[in-house]
């Protein structure tokens, strides 16, 4: 286009060159596809992070626990009626792996030690609730009412202990929180 004839365009000058049509004609469709692809990538990354995080956990068999809630509440009421108490004690680390001695002191309503019980324990750290451990705590021969074992309690913080003590026809259930330093 000439400077003197800026007001008048010839038909050939009014049509943009083919390279401009191709270049600008594909811009918007390519932008839309790129943004949709970016959205899919972000969703996949979010899914990978959400499912790969060990601190995110779902209560195992939660549906069955909900179905059996009445039985569980009845068992807890019967356990509470026993009046038993459980006192957890955590020792210092015994080795570089962080294993510690966990001792549970069990006594009845009168303060008498409970001997001859079968203690089953399920425990986990609150920051890694998906990593659950199971243990059976034998009675310690030196002290009546003391049950214990060396367990992998390496991570500092709050641990949840879920214990079941079977003693004859009686069953004691308890959930305890302990802090490991």
């Amino acid at each position: 286009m000439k400077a003197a004839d800026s007001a008048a365009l010839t038909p050939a000058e009014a049509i943009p060159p083919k390279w401009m049509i191709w270049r600008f004609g594909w811009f918007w469709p390519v932008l839309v596809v790129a943004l949709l692809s970016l959205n899919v990538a972000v969703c996949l990354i979010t899914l990978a992070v959400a499912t790969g995080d060990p601190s995110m956990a779902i209560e195992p068999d939660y549906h069955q626990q909900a179905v059996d809630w009445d039985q569980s509440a009845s068992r807890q009421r019967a356990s509470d009626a026993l009046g038993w108490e459980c006192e957890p004690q955590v020792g210092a680390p015994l080795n570089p792996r962080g294993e510690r001695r966990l001792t549970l002191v069990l006594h009845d309503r009168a303060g008498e030690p409970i001997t001859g019980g079968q203690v089953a324990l399920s425990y986990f750290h609150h920051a890694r609730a998906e990593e659950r451990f199971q243990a059976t705590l034998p009675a310690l021969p030196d002290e009546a009412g003391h049950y214990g074992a060396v367990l992998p309690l390496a991570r500092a913080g709050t641990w949840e202990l879920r214990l079941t003590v079977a003693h004859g026809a009686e069953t004691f259930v308890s959930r305890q929180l302990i802090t490991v330093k």
Side-chain angles (χ1 to χ4, degrees), residues 52-57 126-130:
D53 185 5
S55 63
M56 176 62 184
H126 274 196
R128 294 289 185 258
E130 192 168 280

Side-chain angles (χ1 to χ4, degrees), residues 100-119:
R100 300 166 188 261
R101 175 164 292 283
L102 174 69
T103 304
L104 299 177
V105 181
L106 297 171
H107 53 87
D108 63 13
R109 184 183 320 258
E112 295 297 318
I114 297 170
T115 58
Q118 304 295 319
V119 180

Side-chain angles (χ1 to χ4, degrees), residues 63-162:
H63 176 73
Q64 191 60 42
Q65 288 181 26
V67 170
D68 297 338
W69 187 87
D70 289 330
Q71 294 168 346
S72 176
S74 175
R75 186 172 57 241
Q76 186 64 53
R77 281 192 301 275
S79 176
D80 293 344
L82 293 173
W84 293 4
E85 293 289 328
C86 174
E87 192 179 313
Q89 300 170 349
V90 181
L94 300 174
N95 55 39
R97 292 179 302 210
E99 293 180 330
R100 300 166 188 261
R101 175 164 292 283
L102 174 69
T103 304
L104 299 177
V105 181
L106 297 171
H107 53 87
D108 63 13
R109 184 183 320 258
E112 295 297 318
I114 297 170
T115 58
Q118 304 295 319
V119 180
L121 176 68
S122 173
Y123 62 103
F124 59 91
H125 191 279
H126 274 196
R128 294 289 185 258
E130 192 168 280
E131 299 171 0
R132 296 184 181 233
F133 302 95
Q134 306 291 325
T136 301
L137 303 182
L140 299 178
D142 300 343
E143 300 180 61
H146 287 64
Y147 300 82
V150 175
L151 303 174
L153 299 169
R155 185 179 297 276
T158 303
W159 288 77
E160 183 168 330
L161 308 176
R162 297 178 180 179

